[in-house]
Amino acid sequence: AQIRIGLGSGNSATIDYANPRKYEIGGITVSGAKFLDPNTLISLTGLRVGDEIEVPGDAISKAIQKLWDQGILGGVDVRATKIEGDKIFLDFFLTERPRLSRFDFSGTTKSQAEDLQKKISLNKGRVVTDDLLSSTRTTVQKFFQEKGYLNTQVVIRQTPDSIIANSVALEIKVDKGEKVRIGELDIVRLRNGQVMEDEGNLFSRLWGDDEAFTEGKLKRQLKKTKEKKLYKVFTSSKFQKSEFENDKKLLIEFYNKEGYRDAAVISDSVYTISDDRIGIKLVVDEGNRYFYRSISWNGNYLYNDAVLARILGLGKGDVYNKEELDKRLNYNPSGSDITSLYMDDGYLFFQIEPVEVAVEGDSIDIEMRISEGSQAKINSVSISGNTKTSDHVILRELRTLPGQNFSRANLIRSQRELSNLGYFDPEKIGMNPVPNPENGTVDIQYSVEERPNDQITLSGGWGGGLGAVGTVGLVLNNFSMRKAKDWKEWRPVPSGDGQRLALNIQANGKRYQSYSLSFTEPWLGGRRPNSLTVSLSKSVQRFNEYDEFGQLRDANIDISGASVNLGRRLKWPDDYFTLSNSISYFRYNMSNGASIFRGYSEADKIKDANNVSFITSFARNSIDNPTYTRSGSSIGLNVTFTPPYSLFKDGSNSFQWIEFHKWMLDASWFHSLSGDGKLVLNTRAHFGYIGTYSKDGVIGPFERFKLGGSGLGGGSFIVATDYIGLRGYEDESITPNAAGGIAFNKYVAELRYPISLNPAATVFVLGFAEAGNNFGSYREYDPFKLYRSVGLGARVFMAAFGLLGFDYGWGLDTVPGRPGSNGGQFHFIIGQQIR
Amino acid sequence: CGKYNKILKSDDVDKKYAAALSYYEKEEYDKAGALLEDLMPLLKGRSEYERANFLYAYTKFYQHLYLESSFHFTSFGQTFPRSQYAEEAAFMNARSLTNESPSYNLDQQSTAQAMSALQEFMRRYPQSKYMAEANKVYDELSGKVEVKAFNSAKQYYKLTNYDPQYYKAAVVALENFRKSYPSSVYNEEAAYLRIDAQYNYAKESIESKQQERFAEVVTFYQAFIDAYPKSKFSRSAEQIYEATQQELEKLKKSQTVTATTTTNQ
């Protein structure tokens, strides 16, 4: 595109480029357009007859740009055909180019063609220019080179398309050639100009000179650039230029970490070995290894040198590692650092700069120059990105309050609280402190990204004793009762107030039906974090089985129940503690109870039973993220007790009013073992027992423990029983008598490693070792008599389905009287399990 | 339906365009939109291009795809700044964004965009026939932003029963609200809540800070009673004021006591 004013028209009008002048547009014409409509083109220029423009000036270049942006022209020239007084007549001389009607690939697979289509900017109707062709060619070539086809040739052929006037079709011919792999990789190490060799002696390599790195160790630092070797089946050993550049940086970073501050790649060459093999030679100058000689502090008034030095934890003789130094100064996720010492106390403007004041031989002197600044107070706190969750639900969880001193620890705690709500993508919670140095305040902007967290279960399963069981479940984790009144807010369900509504129906015809409904309001009244949960449940179970005398007996148990739970957060011993109390009432109607609680013949006498119980649970939960936990712990003590009827109703234990007390202790700790925090060790311990109040009191058949398997009560699931998993053994196999045990313990150690931390589907694998036992009476109780097992498994967390898992366990101990219930066992796990 | 698919696959630009217009007339916006989308690159540089662009944006609007309609109305205005439809497009962009604006307790990014689109519209077309409606919509949106800000500030006040450290937070947040929305109708309530929060904050403070913090209550009260002499909160505010006076006197006495004890020594 050019502006040629006063040229070509032969007109005497002259334009002085040095002195722009204002003209009124007297007329606009378009010439050279065969297929395009002149009026539309004029309207696209944004210019109109009567406009006042400056020549030469902005207006005309903008007009050209606008025409050009349409991508339909090959060239645009502007000429002034006439100048009469202060009127100027413009002519847009256009060169039309053929448009693209269609394009095809040859020499690629279908899926490659699809991927390419997304990368190249060929749209139908676009004007085909030389520039477009060459950029297309480069893109295609690059695409295949990244895949290892280094010798890819691309030819684009144009053919006029007869169907649409003035258009061409493109054929993009690709010749990929051979896939090129890295045949040799050679790293030459130079120290003081000398080429280093690997020590031949294994002993000296392991124990001797730890300053020298073997070539193999260096090659491992190149993450994506690998040699092709016969035994390396899973190594791709492609050559990708961008990855290679990145790998060279990684290599230098590795050296820097080890104190080789001056390490540099002084040459790299890539050479051809054969059609499908290339070789790479890298020459690295290692330079000297440096150590700290002294670290001094300057500008610190709040903390003295000794305090700062202790927190830094580096000193004379340590290897100089810039990365580690920065971590200890600025942000150390697994320990303390200097910056958080200040930042947690409001010193937002704190700055620290390590300056190398002297370098002598292999010794470095560092001076820490500190500017402490003044304390910043939080002024305003705002939230963005909450397209579903109401402001107040978020605001009440934040620990950064207006008027407080800024604290980085509070900021991180707020992030944890938001993440634990489960409504937001934990990896995308943003915290942006915006300081206002002029008045010493800071505004904090949080940003969140909503993620789906309602769960729907629709399943049909085969439960051993019951046959086919259908389940319909719905859990709404961010429900809003308030909005439920307004039909417009149903999108598809009323949400955003942080309430929880769970509904579950399970049935298999007449034999088994179960309904449950529960509702939780986490902040009752909106002023305190006191939660209220109301639940209702009803289940019916019918049995007809042969008893020990070969008689067919019908039996049934109906349970209806309701419970109310009030929970609150505690501030003491610390603010991770919660306390909750509930009262529940269950009514059992039974017939032929002994067929249900087999081995418990007393149960035959029970016709109806009432269970009024109080449940208190005292818990501490400090885990960082519920989906893939890396750190923190969760400990809970759960006590259930009924009124002590037997103390005032002499000895009668007709079960009309069930009495027991039940104690459960669950503890779980998480520790990340690897530097990146991904490999996590989870250790757990669980205890439980049931007792009565009177000395000769009998413990009824209800609420007992069954141990073994996945803990889901798979086989012959009976309500009012506590199922606890023990992998590597058959479901419920470790149960001392048929009604269940009255005391159990269980210990678990689990190593976890994530495969994907994508919030849509978090996947991790695990290896475990666990042990547990279940006892029929206190006399038998022995905390060291355990059934042990080891195994492997995987878990998938998907927002819509919750947690699903699969474990293979190997039970190491035989269970007396139940041969074959240990050994290799597969377990399916549904939902997050506490025990 | 068969007819529609045939037209969609056809290469005849004129016939396709005519069909698009007729579907548009019949309010079948999904079909009209799909046809126009197909046509757009082919109509570039032809006289129908401008109108096709404009109608395409409308098809999105009528399908309640307001983010898309906003995008297309805006790009229409940029491509055809001199078009007879430019004014309408600018207004429709603002209306699209307004329809995207959610209830006050959610993220208000769309509201802010709608407000700036309306401002831009009003600045550019002060004589527009849409002016009255634009003003009305703008007032609704700014009201929503105000309610959000007030409720967020009040949220801190609501939590003071749970944790006394929210008293100070409430004072700061309510003051910020007053500064940001000096003419809001909620200022009266905000001013009263601020007195209450400050009073309780002073009461919870350590003795050495109380004098200063109670004095602040007096300042807040005086400002309140000057601004809203007939407020429905004046009775309660007065009670807080009186309690504050008593507290200040108590402090004064204890200070004189300590002062005399020190002088006696």
Side-chain angles (χ1 to χ4, degrees):
Chain A
Q2 304 181 23
I3 315 172
R4 290 193 205 148
I5 285 177
L7 288 177
S9 62
N11 193 292
S12 61
T14 51
I15 285 166
D16 184 355
Y17 281 84
N19 291 312
R21 222 196 108 178
K22 276 197 172 152
Y23 292 98
E24 188 188 326
I25 298 178
I28 306 174
T29 51
V30 169
S31 55
K34 274 179 284 179
F35 301 97
L36 302 171
D37 176 61
N39 288 329
T40 307
L41 291 170
I42 291 169
S43 118
L44 282 172
T45 62
L47 297 176
R48 199 190 277 180
V49 174
D51 279 1
E52 197 168 78
I53 59 167
E54 206 163 77
V55 179
D58 230 14
I60 289 179
S61 34
K62 262 192 190 155
I64 294 171
Q65 186 63 42
K66 280 189 160 177
L67 286 172
W68 197 246
D69 283 348
Q70 296 297 316
I72 50 176
L73 297 166
V76 181
D77 278 4
V78 180
R79 299 165 185 184
T81 45
K82 242 194 318 195
I83 295 182
E84 288 178 2
D86 62 349
K87 281 196 175 169
I88 189 163
F89 293 80
L90 298 173
D91 179 56
F92 286 83
F93 180 77
L94 308 176
T95 326
E96 291 184 356
R97 282 282 174 98
R99 289 166 188 263
L100 178 67
S101 68
R102 62 193 164 80
F103 62 92
D104 297 303
F105 290 97
S106 65
T108 67
T109 66
K110 206 175 166 193
S111 73
Q112 283 168 346
E114 275 166 18
D115 288 348
L116 276 167
Q117 243 167 50
K118 281 176 214 147
K119 291 198 178 229
I120 56 177
S121 46
L122 290 178
N123 308 92
K124 279 185 187 178
R126 228 188 124 154
V127 166
V128 179
T129 60
D130 293 342
D131 176 43
L132 182 72
L133 292 175
S134 84
S135 75
T136 305
R137 200 175 299 125
T138 325
T139 314
V140 175
Q141 208 162 16
K142 224 171 153 189
F143 175 83
F144 284 104
Q145 280 174 351
E146 287 291 305
K147 290 191 181 298
Y149 297 96
L150 294 186
N151 307 319
T152 304
Q153 299 290 327
V154 180
V155 178
I156 303 181
R157 225 176 60 190
Q158 302 187 45
T159 38
D161 194 323
S162 52
I163 302 169
I164 304 168
N166 189 32
S167 64
V168 288
L170 298 182
E171 189 196 355
I172 304 168
K173 285 169 93 168
V174 180
D175 180 12
K176 287 189 291 202
E178 290 274 358
K179 193 167 197 163
V180 179
R181 295 185 191 277
I182 302 166
E184 324 173 333
L185 175 60
D186 193 14
I187 303 180
V188 177
R189 291 152 291 157
L190 294 177
R191 186 178 294 174
N192 305 325
Q194 296 276 306
V195 177
M196 308 274 294
E197 290 295 335
D198 277 3
E199 297 279 332
N201 185 331
L202 183 71
F203 180 82
S204 72
R205 239 192 279 173
L206 286 174
W207 307 104
D209 183 12
D210 64 351
E211 287 180 28
F213 303 117
T214 59
E215 196 175 342
K217 179 150 192 161
L218 295 178
K219 282 180 182 175
R220 278 200 294 281
Q221 305 306 321
L222 306 173
K223 296 293 174 211
K224 293 279 168 75
T225 309
K226 302 279 185 197
E227 279 169 291
K228 185 72 197 165
K229 286 272 164 74
L230 274 178
Y231 59 87
K232 287 183 181 169
V233 183
F234 296 110
T235 312
S236 83
S237 63
K238 277 186 296 192
F239 177 76
Q240 289 164 280
K241 188 107 178 79
S242 56
E243 295 291 359
F244 178 57
E245 291 302 321
N246 199 25
D247 279 346
K248 281 195 285 184
K249 277 192 202 126
L250 287 178
L251 184 66
I252 295 306
E253 270 170 32
F254 168 73
Y255 267 112
N256 290 345
K257 254 190 225 171
E258 297 291 338
Y260 295 90
R261 202 178 55 139
D262 305 330
V265 173
I266 51 173
S267 80
D268 63 283
S269 50
V270 178
Y271 52 92
T272 312
I273 300 171
S274 64
D275 269 356
D276 61 348
R277 287 287 184 275
I278 55 161
I280 298 174
K281 186 177 177 188
L282 277 178
V283 182
V284 184
D285 187 355
E286 296 187 330
N288 267 334
R289 193 177 207 191
Y290 291 87
F291 300 89
Y292 295 108
R293 190 169 62 186
S294 77
I295 297 175
S296 57
W297 304 83
N298 201 341
N300 50 319
Y301 299 100
L302 283 156
Y303 300 98
N304 62 34
D305 292 4
V307 172
L308 295 175
R310 200 172 59 236
I311 289 168
L312 185 69
L314 293 173
K316 191 177 161 138
D318 287 336
V319 168
Y320 177 85
N321 174 356
K322 188 83 171 63
E323 194 184 322
E324 182 66 24
L325 180 68
D326 282 344
K327 205 164 99 178
R328 305 237 180 150
L329 288 181
N330 299 318
Y331 185 69
N332 186 1
S334 57
S336 56
D337 58 86
I338 304 285
T339 305
S340 61
L341 180 71
Y342 281 91
M343 290 245 179
D344 290 351
D345 195 21
Y347 292 90
L348 176 67
F349 307 107
F350 170 80
Q351 273 173 346
I352 184 160
E353 196 192 351
V355 180
E356 290 172 14
V357 284
V359 181
E360 280 171 35
D362 64 352
S363 308
I364 295 184
D365 291 345
I366 299 236
E367 186 183 312
M368 300 288 179
R369 297 198 180 145
I370 294 175
S371 155
E372 294 181 333
S374 57
Q375 278 172 307
K377 277 195 167 21
I378 298 169
N379 182 43
S380 75
V381 176
S382 62
I383 310 147
S384 66
N386 53 325
T387 51
K388 193 168 122 185
T389 308
S390 297
D391 286 342
H392 68 269
V393 174
I394 301 167
L395 275 178
R396 66 196 184 189
E397 300 295 338
L398 300 179
R399 302 299 169 102
T400 50
L401 306 183
Q404 271 182 347
N405 277 344
F406 174 81
S407 149
R408 196 166 70 179
N410 283 350
L411 207 61
I412 293 166
R413 179 71 194 266
S414 302
Q415 183 187 29
R416 173 192 173 270
E417 297 298 325
L418 290 183
S419 146
N420 271 358
L421 283 175
Y423 310 149
F424 311 113
D425 181 348
E427 317 283 326
K428 288 200 184 135
I429 294 172
M431 301 168 295
N432 182 21
V434 184
N436 314 307
E438 68 278 7
N439 57 8
T441 63
V442 54
D443 293 339
I444 300 182
Q445 300 167 345
Y446 289 92
S447 60
V448 293
E449 198 177 296
E450 305 263 359
R451 66 167 181 191
N453 65 334
D454 295 333
Q455 286 156 17
I456 299 167
T457 330
L458 266 177
S459 69
W462 193 264
L466 292 166
V469 178
T471 307
V472 181
L474 181 66
V475 182
L476 305 175
N477 281 310
N478 193 358
F479 184 69
S480 171
M481 191 76 114
R482 178 174 57 93
K483 291 181 186 167
K485 286 171 233 152
D486 188 353
W487 188 247
K488 265 188 281 173
E489 300 282 358
W490 287 69
R491 290 180 288 203
V493 288
S495 60
D497 280 352
Q499 296 161 337
R500 182 175 188 275
L501 184 73
L503 190 71
N504 199 63
I505 300 173
Q506 256 187 330
N508 111 306
K510 279 194 160 177
R511 292 189 62 188
Y512 172 63
Q513 290 158 25
S514 154
Y515 312 89
S516 71
L517 173 77
S518 92
F519 172 78
T520 304
E521 161 59 64
W523 284 64
L524 190 61
R527 288 172 185 269
R528 283 164 194 274
N530 294 349
S531 69
L532 170 77
T533 305
V534 179
S535 1
L536 298 172
S537 67
K538 170 147 186 84
S539 66
V540 182
Q541 218 171 344
R542 292 191 176 83
F543 302 83
N544 45 3
E545 274 163 19
Y546 294 97
D547 64 8
E548 57 261 53
F549 308 109
Q551 297 269 308
L552 189 68
R553 289 191 359 150
D554 282 338
N556 76 294
I557 175 166
D558 289 14
I559 306 179
S560 317
S563 78
V564 177
N565 174 302
L566 277 171
R568 64 196 182 96
R569 295 183 195 175
L570 300 179
K571 290 197 192 115
W572 186 90
D574 71 19
D575 62 356
Y576 291 107
F577 278 91
T578 53
L579 178 69
S580 81
N581 291 301
S582 38
I583 177 164
S584 73
Y585 172 70
F586 285 94
R587 183 174 173 82
Y588 306 85
N589 282 313
M590 287 166 63
S591 72
N592 288 332
S595 310
I596 302 164
F597 299 103
R598 273 181 294 171
Y600 195 90
S601 54
E602 287 277 299
D604 254 357
K605 294 185 207 146
I606 310 171
K607 295 296 165 218
D608 59 341
N610 299 285
N611 176 359
V612 178
S613 50
F614 304 93
I615 303 153
T616 295
S617 80
F618 181 61
R620 183 181 190 275
N621 179 6
S622 64
I623 63 174
D624 63 335
N625 173 349
T627 343
Y628 187 74
T629 311
R630 290 186 171 105
S631 68
S633 65
S634 120
I635 296 165
L637 174 68
N638 212 317
V639 186
T640 311
F641 56 95
T642 63
Y645 306 107
S646 60
L647 297 187
F648 40 83
K649 269 172 69 185
D650 57 319
S652 69
N653 199 348
S654 70
F655 299 116
Q656 192 181 8
W657 295 94
I658 299 169
E659 74 165 52
F660 66 93
H661 54 100
K662 183 171 174 179
W663 301 70
M664 305 285 265
L665 181 69
D666 301 291
S668 175
W669 295 270
F670 293 90
H671 296 282
S672 41
L673 299 180
S674 61
D676 55 1
K678 282 184 166 178
L679 182 67
V680 173
L681 174 69
N682 174 217
T683 44
R684 301 198 296 267
H686 308 279
F687 303 95
Y689 88 91
I690 311 178
T692 51
Y693 296 103
S694 62
K695 226 174 174 183
D696 52 345
V698 181
I699 300 168
F702 306 103
E703 300 296 331
R704 286 174 174 239
F705 307 114
K706 290 192 172 180
L707 187 72
S710 61
L712 293 171
S716 49
F717 172 77
I718 300 172
V719 279
T721 305
D722 238 318
Y723 291 89
I724 293 129
L726 186 68
R727 293 168 285 190
Y729 296 90
E730 273 179 15
D731 282 346
E732 295 105 60
S733 58
I734 305 167
T735 302
N737 57 52
I742 59 163
F744 83 94
N745 50 22
K746 178 182 169 185
Y747 314 96
V748 186
E750 208 168 270
L751 265 181
R752 302 178 170 185
Y753 192 80
I755 304 296
S756 153
L757 288 171
N758 179 353
T762 305
V763 182
F764 62 89
V765 290
L766 55 91
F768 65 86
E770 61 187 25
N773 200 359
N774 191 8
F775 306 93
S777 71
Y778 302 142
R779 255 184 305 115
E780 292 164 28
Y781 184 78
D782 178 354
F784 302 108
K785 195 183 157 212
L786 298 165
Y787 293 97
R788 295 156 304 165
S789 67
V790 291
L792 297 167
R795 295 284 183 281
V796 178
F797 179 86
M798 281 180 285
F801 303 105
L803 189 80
L804 302 174
F806 172 76
D807 285 336
Y808 180 77
W810 187 268
L812 301 174
D813 302 295
T814 43
V815 186
R818 297 204 51 164
S821 61
N822 65 326
Q825 301 279 343
F826 281 107
H827 306 289
F828 288 98
I829 281 103
I830 302 168
Q832 202 109 26
Q833 289 181 305
I834 313 163
R835 296 185 185 102
Chain B
C1 196
K3 196 179 127 204
Y4 166 73
N5 278 329
K6 222 182 208 169
I7 296 242
L8 193 64
K9 281 187 194 128
S10 125
D11 276 331
D12 188 332
V13 175
D14 296 316
K15 220 166 110 188
K16 230 173 169 176
Y17 184 62
L21 289 184
S22 106
Y23 279 123
Y24 188 89
E25 287 296 314
K26 282 190 270 178
E27 300 190 2
E28 291 184 41
Y29 297 112
D30 52 335
K31 287 179 184 170
L35 286 173
L36 286 171
E37 189 176 358
D38 246 30
L39 280 169
M40 218 73 87
L42 301 170
L43 285 175
K44 260 184 198 177
R46 289 181 40 161
S47 59
E48 297 92 341
Y49 186 46
E50 182 179 324
R51 191 166 157 74
N53 243 314
F54 185 59
L55 293 184
Y56 182 62
Y58 256 114
T59 61
K60 295 288 176 197
F61 182 83
Y62 286 127
Q63 289 179 79
H64 307 288
L65 302 168
Y66 300 119
L67 284 181
E68 285 181 48
S69 69
S70 157
F71 174 80
H72 290 292
F73 280 123
T74 312
S75 80
F76 178 86
Q78 282 161 0
T79 320
F80 305 101
R82 287 300 178 69
S83 161
Q84 50 170 328
Y85 307 121
E87 177 185 332
E88 193 176 338
F91 181 65
M92 289 309 293
N93 169 39
R95 269 196 57 185
S96 302
L97 290 168
T98 306
N99 286 342
E100 269 297 305
S101 160
S103 86
Y104 75 84
N105 50 23
L106 299 176
D107 185 19
Q108 296 297 312
Q109 197 196 343
S110 309
T111 313
Q113 281 172 350
M115 285 170 76
S116 71
L118 280 166
Q119 272 173 342
E120 176 70 16
F121 170 78
M122 292 192 268
R123 191 184 58 75
R124 197 162 341 148
Y125 306 101
Q127 307 299 327
S128 170
K129 60 178 173 179
Y130 302 114
M131 204 58 182
E133 199 185 338
N135 269 316
K136 197 180 127 232
V137 173
Y138 189 85
D139 287 348
E140 276 168 25
L141 293 178
S142 63
K144 196 189 277 188
V145 174
E146 208 175 288
V147 173
K148 183 192 183 74
F150 179 61
N151 273 290
S152 294
K154 202 176 164 183
Q155 175 69 21
Y156 292 110
Y157 180 80
K158 272 190 179 173
L159 296 176
T160 51
N161 279 338
Y162 163 48
D163 191 333
Q165 62 173 333
Y166 281 100
Y167 283 120
K168 193 177 172 197
V171 173
V172 174
L174 289 162
E175 170 66 12
N176 281 342
F177 173 75
R178 199 186 61 79
K179 275 188 200 152
S180 312
Y181 303 92
S183 58
S184 166
V185 288
Y186 300 106
N187 264 326
E188 185 179 330
E189 194 181 344
Y192 166 68
L193 295 178
R194 192 161 65 119
I195 298 170
D196 188 46
Q198 177 68 29
Y199 171 75
N200 283 296
Y201 173 50
K203 236 181 136 175
E204 298 277 342
S205 301
I206 50 166
E207 209 178 303
S208 59
K209 299 266 186 184
Q210 277 187 326
Q211 168 81 38
E212 180 196 339
R213 287 174 186 172
F214 276 121
E216 195 84 330
V217 182
V218 176
T219 322
F220 287 173
Y221 174 73
Q222 284 164 349
F224 169 77
I225 213 75
D226 289 346
Y228 312 103
K230 284 181 195 155
S231 170
K232 61 175 171 176
F233 301 110
S234 51
R235 171 56 63 81
S236 325
E238 211 176 311
Q239 281 169 1
I240 298 170
Y241 176 64
E242 277 161 15
T244 308
Q245 297 286 31
Q246 284 168 12
E247 296 279 355
L248 280 171
E249 248 159 64
K250 245 196 278 171
L251 281 172
K252 214 173 187 179
K253 259 184 217 156
S254 70
Q255 267 165 12
T256 26
V257 172
T258 31
T260 37
T261 42
T262 38
T263 42
N264 285 350
Q265 272 166 359

